[in-house]
Amino acid sequence: MKFYSTNRSSPEMSFKEAVIQGLPQDKGLFFPEHIPALPSSFFEELPDMALPEIAFEVLKHFTAPDITPDALRAICKEVFTFPIPLVAVEEGIYALELFHGPTCAFKDVGARFMSRCLQAFAEPNKPVTVLVATSGDTGSAVANGFLGVANIEVVILYPKGGVSEIQEMQFTTLGQNITSVAVEGTFDDCQQLVKQAFSDEALNNEMRLSSANSINVARWLPQMVYYFHAWGQWRRQHPEKDAAGATFAVPSGNFGNLAAGVLARQMGLPVRHFIAATNRNKVVPAYLETGEYTPVPSVSTIANAMDVGSPNNFPRIQEMFGNNYGQLKQVLKGYWTDDAPIRSAIQEVKQQHDYLLDPHGAIAYLSLKQHLPVLKTDGIFLETAHPAKFKGSIDDILGSDIALPEQLQAFLNKPKQSGSIGNSYSEFAALLQEQHKLQSQP
C-alpha cells in the first residue's frame, strides 16, 4: 500500500516511510492510495471473531509489504490485550468502553500499535524523535506505549494548566526516553509548534522526526478496529435487527477517531450515520450546518480533551467523500453542547441507569438523544476515557469520591519531570536540538 498527501504536492510513500515521516512535507496528511472493500464473509464471521483477529484482517491491507503477515499478527496480539466491551446503558443506547487499557483511554490502541511499528522499523544508531501535542489522553497513551522502546525518544507538548492533574501525572512522571514540556498556550499552539518542526527543513536534516498524534497513519488506522468489534458485538446481541441499524456517536476533538470510523464504513462496515459530537469548539458542526469550514481559536471546557479549534484530521474525512459537501452531510451529523448539559447528563444517567459517563462520552450520549428520534436506529457512543481521569470534575458533579482504577493509582505520588517553554518555535527548536546533541554523545 502506498500513501499520498491530501495536499498532493509530496511524493507517495510506503507505510514504513509514512509512519517514520509522520507528516508530508507539503503539510497535508498521508492517505491510502485506495480503500479496500472487505468481503461479505468477513462481516458474517465478525460477531464471533477475537479482537486481535479482527485487527489483523483489517490492517493487513495497509501495512503490507513493510510488515509481514506473521509480524503483524504478533503486533496485533501484543496490542489488543484488553477488553473493549459494548455495554447497554438504556433501551437502544450502548456505550463502547475504550478505557480498559493501560492508561484508561481509547488512545492506548493507536499508541501501542504505532510504538510496535516504529520499533519494527527502527535502525541501530539512527534514533527517531517522536513529537506529540496533547490535550490530555494522547500524551499519556503515547508516553506509556513508547516507554523504554530502544532508539526512540518522545517529546510531549501540552498546554500548561490545560490538562487534568491525573492526565498530567501519566506522562510527566515516567522519565527514561519520555520528555514532557508545558507550553504557555493552548493545545492548538502545541499542535502548531509540532507542525512547524516538521516543516523546518534544517531541523529535519539534523534529526529524524516522527509524529505520534492521530495525524500519523500508524496511530490513525488501528482505531478502525474497535468500530468493527463494536458492530460485531451489537450484531451478536441483536441478530434480528437491520445490519445497518446502528449509529455511532463519536466525541470529537482532533477528529482522528471519527475519521477512522468513517474509513471503516468505506471498507464496508454497514453503518449509515456517524455523529460528530463536540463541545463549544464546534467548527465541524458549524460546517455541517453552513457549508463553511472556519477553524477558530479553541476555548476551554469541562471536556478538555476535545478543546480543539482547528481539527487536524478533518481533511481525511473530506478526502473520503471527494470533498463533496452534500455526500459528507448525508453520512455525518453534527452536535455540540455547553458544559451545563454535560454536567446534567452525567448526573441523570448515573441516577436513572447507574452508568457513569465521562464528560466526553456524555457529549456523545447527548448527541444520540437528539438525533436518534430522527435517524430511527440504535445508538453506540464511544466512552473514550475512564471517568476517574476527570475525578475532580466528576466528584464535583456527583458530590462523590469516585475510586481510581489500578492503572491510574500507579501514577500517584511520583515526582513530576516536566520542562516549560513559551509559545515560541525558536524555544521549541532549541530544546529539540539540545536533546539531539545529548542523544548523539557516545
Side-chain angles (χ1 to χ4, degrees), residues 95-106:
L96 183 65
E97 294 187 342
L98 297 165
F99 53 69
H100 295 282
T103 72
C104 299
F106 80 97

Side-chain angles (χ1 to χ4, degrees), residues 80-302:
F80 293 90
T81 56
F82 50 89
I84 303 179
L86 187 70
V87 178
V89 175
E90 60 184 80
E91 181 67 30
I93 295 182
Y94 305 82
L96 183 65
E97 294 187 342
L98 297 165
F99 53 69
H100 295 282
T103 72
C104 299
F106 80 97
K107 295 175 182 179
D108 282 325
V109 169
R112 283 155 64 90
F113 185 82
M114 182 187 169
S115 71
R116 273 59 175 184
C117 290
L118 272 180
Q119 189 173 35
F121 299 150
E123 300 176 38
N125 303 316
K126 288 187 178 181
V128 175
T129 298
V130 175
L131 306 181
V132 58
T134 185
S135 56
D137 289 329
T138 294
S140 56
V142 169
N144 285 271
F146 281 87
L147 183 64
V149 175
N151 274 334
I152 297 177
E153 298 291 325
V154 178
V155 178
I156 298 170
L157 298 186
Y158 67 102
K160 191 173 185 178
V163 301
S164 76
E165 183 179 1
I166 291 175
Q167 287 173 323
E168 187 176 19
M169 285 191 295
Q170 285 187 297
F171 57 79
T172 61
T173 60
L174 299 174
Q176 297 187 54
N177 60 327
I178 309 299
T179 299
S180 300
V181 183
V183 175
E184 297 282 355
T186 66
F187 168 74
D188 291 324
D189 295 324
C190 298
Q191 191 161 252
Q192 183 58 35
L193 291 175
V194 170
K195 285 184 175 181
Q196 284 181 265
F198 280 109
S199 62
D200 185 335
E201 189 173 341
L203 185 67
N204 281 266
N205 288 335
E206 185 177 341
M207 56 194 300
R208 301 180 77 189
L209 298 179
S210 187
S211 169
N213 281 84
S214 53
I215 53 178
N216 193 298
V217 292
R219 264 281 320 276
W220 173 50
L221 292 172
Q223 295 176 134
M224 286 190 294
V225 173
Y226 44 71
Y227 289 93
F228 289 104
H229 182 52
W231 182 88
Q233 292 179 79
W234 177 76
R235 285 295 287 162
R236 188 167 65 245
Q237 295 172 21
H238 300 287
E240 78 286 355
K241 292 190 176 183
D242 179 357
T247 294
F248 280 96
V250 186
S252 300
N254 228 358
F255 278 77
N257 207 1
L258 181 57
V262 176
L263 184 59
R265 180 182 184 273
Q266 299 291 89
M267 293 181 73
L269 185 67
V271 175
R272 294 194 187 101
H273 302 292
F274 289 86
I275 305 173
T278 74
N279 53 28
R280 285 186 292 142
N281 297 281
K282 54 181 178 176
V283 173
V284 171
Y287 164 74
L288 292 169
E289 186 174 329
T290 67
E292 297 291 328
Y293 186 70
T294 310
V296 296
S298 61
V299 295
S300 297
T301 74
I302 189 176

Side-chain angles (χ1 to χ4, degrees), residues 56 66-78 116 120:
F56 174 79
D66 295 317
I67 297 179
T68 66
D70 286 346
L72 181 61
R73 284 188 188 276
I75 288 172
C76 291
K77 287 180 180 178
E78 192 174 345
R116 273 59 175 184

